[in-house]
Amino acid sequence: MIVSKCTICGGKVEERVVSEEIRVENDFVVIENVRAGVCVECGERYYPPGVVDRLRNIERNIMNRKKLKKLDVIGSTYKLRYDATF
Ligand SMILES: [Zn+2]
């Protein structure tokens, strides 16, 4: 555990397994099973050493796009203009 107290609000930070969403233009990749400290008050996340580097590395691979084909597709993304009739 990196911190036990949130540096933003002073709340308690608990270790959780979370999902991180990486967006590259219109594509989203959800990275599951990321270990992080999460503030129970404000939701701020704190990552153990190496996790941020690993996420950046994944992001670089997404940007290079060739590896996207290897991923499982779990849903679709739609867009709707806020002022559209819907
Ligand atoms: Zn907090």
Side-chain angles (χ1 to χ4, degrees), residues 5-13 38-44 46:
K5 229 178 168 193
C6 180
T7 55
I8 293 170
C9 74
K12 192 172 171 247
V13 174
V38 181
C39 173
V40 296
E41 299 295 331
C42 73
E44 180 69 9
Y46 299 90

Side-chain angles (χ1 to χ4, degrees), residues 12-71:
K12 192 172 171 247
V13 174
E14 286 180 356
E15 195 172 325
R16 301 239 177 101
V17 175
V18 299
S19 295
E20 282 295 325
E21 209 173 68
I22 294 176
R23 179 181 178 166
V24 179
E25 293 169 27
N26 288 322
D27 294 319
F28 290 88
V29 176
V30 178
I31 317 295
E32 294 181 316
N33 284 316
V34 180
R35 207 163 271 286
V38 181
C39 173
V40 296
E41 299 295 331
C42 73
E44 180 69 9
R45 290 177 177 186
Y46 299 90
Y47 302 97
V51 171
V52 172
D53 286 343
R54 167 103 181 111
L55 290 173
R56 289 224 180 93
N57 198 32
I58 290 170
E59 192 171 356
R60 264 197 300 276
N61 284 336
I62 294 167
M63 282 197 229
N64 127 34
R65 284 174 180 275
K66 284 178 211 148
K67 293 192 177 180
L68 277 181
K69 293 190 196 92
K70 293 182 186 170
L71 303 181

